Amino acid sequence: MRAQDLLLVTLREPPAEAEIPSHQWLVRGGFIRRVASGIYAYMPLMWRVLRKVEAIIREEMDATGALELRLPALQPAELWRRSGRWDTYTAGEGIMFSLTDRQGRELGLGPTHEEVVTSLAADLIRSYRQLPVSLYQLQTKFRDEIRPRFGLMRGREFIMKDAYSFHADEEDLRRYYGCMDQAYRRIFARCGLKVLAVQADSGAIGGGASQEFMAVADAGEDLVLSSGDGRYAANQERAQSLPPPSAPLKVTADQCFATPGQTTIEAVCAAHHLDPTQTVKVLLHRACFADGPDQPVLTALRGDQEVNPVKLTNTLGRLLAERGTVLALERLDADILQDHGVRLPVGFLGPDLSDDVIQGVPDLVGGFLRIVDSTAADLAGFVCGANVPDRHRRVPGWPALGLSLTRADVRSAQPGDRCCHDPKTVLTATRGIEVGHIFQLGRKYSSALAACFNSESGDAEPMWMGCYGIGVSRLAQAVVEQNHDDNGMIWPVSIAPFEVVITVANGEEQEQCGLAEKLYGELRAAGVDVLLDDRMERAGVKFKDADLLGIPWRVVVGRNAARGHVELKTRSEKDVLDMDASQLLPHLIPRLQRQRRGGLPEAGV
Ligand code: ATP
Ligand code: MG
C-alpha cells in the first residue's frame, strides 16, 4: 500500500472529548472517527488492525474445536422474555436497544446472544452423542451504555467475539472452560497485551464460576485486587478479604449521648475518642424490580467500611429471588424522602430506624429488609446513630436492638486488606480494562429455554453451558493504551496495520525513489505488510506520521541511497542501523516471522 492511496488524515491536536491516550492517538492517527456518542467508524488503518486481531482469535478458537457461525443482531423479544431478561435489559438501566417492527412485534438489537444460541441448540441437539458443541461468532454488538466513553473502550456499537459451549455434564463444561482460559491467554499474548486473569462477578447473566481478563492500564475502569504471591486476584466487584480487626469497645448499657452537628463517622470519632471500627453506619436503598413496588433496604456496615453495590445487589437478588431480577439499586437519599414529607435524621441513623419513616413513600412497600455486613455483625459493642438529630447511641450488642437481620458480605474489599488465603499477605490494587470474560453459566439458560438432550441413560436433561466473550474493538484500543509514547502509537507486529513503513526522505530524488520502489516490491513479494510513504511531504512530516501511526519497523531511504544504503529502525527504539539495502530482507524477514507470533519487537535492531 502507498501512503498516497490511504486517505491518510492525521490530526495535530487530540479531539476535546478524548480523555485517555489511546483514544487520542487513534483519532489523531485517523484510525477511528466518531459518528455519534459511542458510535465510531473504523477507518482503513483500524480495520486492518481489527482484521488481524480477528484472525488471531479465529485461529485460537478454531484450535479448541469451536465452530464459527454468525447469529442475527436483531432478536425477537419473545426469546428474551422466555429467559426472563427482556425487562432487565430494556427497562430501568437496561442497555438493550429495542424497537417495534411494522407488524407491531418487539425486537431487540443483540447486546449478547445467549438466548438465540440456546434456542438453536434446543432445536438441533437431541442426544449426548452430539455433545460437546462450541459455537462462536465475531460480530457487532449493541449496548445503550449509560456512559459511553473513551472511544472504542465503551462504545454503544462494538465488535465482540462471543462463544457458547454446550455439554452433557458439569465436568465437561469445566474442562472446556479450562481450554478457553488457555486459548484466551494465547490470544492476548499474541496481540501483545499484558493481562491479568481475575475472579469476576457473574452479573446479570448469572451462573457459576467466571473469570475476567484485565489489560493492565491506569485508564482502566475496573479495580483489580491481587495478592503479591500471585495466588489471588479478583475484580473489586467481587473480591473478598479479611477486614482490618476492630478495636474492642466495652459497652455495659444501652445509652444515648449528645453528638451535636456530628454527622460523619470522623466527627463522632474525633469528638468521643472512638475508632471508626467501633461504629456502625447505615445506608438506605430501594431495590427495583420489573413488576411490583420497590423494596426498601437498610444496610448496616462497620463505620470504616464501604458498601459494595454489586455484592449488595447480588445478595438482594438471592434473598428476593421470588420477585425476579433486581433491575436497579438506588440510594434512598434524604432529598427524595423529603419530597414525600419524610424528615430523616441524616447523619444520625441507626440500624433500628423505624419502618414508619418510609410509610407513604410511593412505590415502596413493606418495611426495610435489614442487611448487616459481617464486619458490623461481628461487633459486640458499638456506637451508632440514635435516629434522632444530634444523638448517637452506645449499644451493648445486636440482641439489644431486637431486630430481624440478614447477615451477608456486602462490603468492598480494599487495597491493604489482608488476604483470606494467607493473612500475612495483603491485597494491592491495579487498574484494568476488561478485555475478556469467561463464564460457566451452568443450566440457567438451557432450563429457561428448554435446551435438553437425552443422556446416556435416556433421561432428558438441560445442557450445561459456558459463554466466553472478548471485546475485539476494546482489545485493539487497549493495546494502544499499553503501547504508546509521546509521539504516538507503538503497534506490536502481530496486529500492526502495517509491519514496515518505507519512508522516502526526499521524494524528488530519483535514486531514493528507485531504491524505495525496489525494496517495496521485494518486501511485498516476501509477504510483508509494507507501507510506502512516497508522499511529496517534507521528511520531517513523514517521520512524524510514521511515529504517530506506530508502524513497528521503519526503513528510511535517504541520502545514503546513492551508495545503496538504507536505515532501519524500530518504532520503540532510538537506535538506527545503517545497512546495505541487499541486507535488509535477510535481516528483517526472520525477525518479522518471530514477531508475528506475538509480542513487541525484541530489543535492538
Ligand atoms: P463492562 O463491565 O466493561 O461493561 P461487560 O462485563 O458488560 O463489560 P461482557 O458482557 O462480559 O461485558 O462482554 C464481553 C466483552 O465485551 C467484555 O469483556 C468487554 O471486553 C467487551 N465489551 C463489553 N461492553 C463493551 C462496550 N460497551 N464497548 C466495547 N467493548 C465492550
Ligand atoms: Mg463482563
Side-chain angles (χ1 to χ4, degrees), residues 212 434 437 439:
E212 285 165 344
E434 181 194 326
H437 197 164
F439 286 94

Side-chain angles (χ1 to χ4, degrees), residues 3-40:
Q4 314 231 28
D5 305 332
L6 200 58
L7 191 65
L8 188 63
V9 181
T10 55
L11 306 179
R12 244 181 236 179
E13 297 297 328
E17 85 273 5
E19 298 166 63
I20 59 170
S22 56
H23 185 191
Q24 295 174 349
W25 290 123
L26 285 176
V27 174
R28 283 188 58 186
F31 282 60
I32 56 172
R33 302 285 292 196
R34 182 180 179 275
V35 174
S37 167
I39 304 176
Y40 284 83

Side-chain angles (χ1 to χ4, degrees), residues 280-284 298 332 344-353 357 384-388 391-392:
V280 166
K281 66 180 175 191
V282 161
L283 301 169
L284 305 183
L298 181 153
L332 263 181
L344 272 188
V346 177
F348 306 94
L349 299 185
D352 56 342
L353 180 68
V357 299
C384 62
N387 295 317
V388 278
R391 291 190 85 69
H392 276 74

Side-chain angles (χ1 to χ4, degrees), residues 143 145 152-155 158 160 434-437 470-471 474:
R143 295 186 180 184
E145 296 280 357
L152 307 184
M153 292 290 188
R154 188 165 295 286
F158 60 97
M160 196 200 285
E434 181 194 326
V435 287
H437 197 164
I470 293 182
R474 182 185 283 186

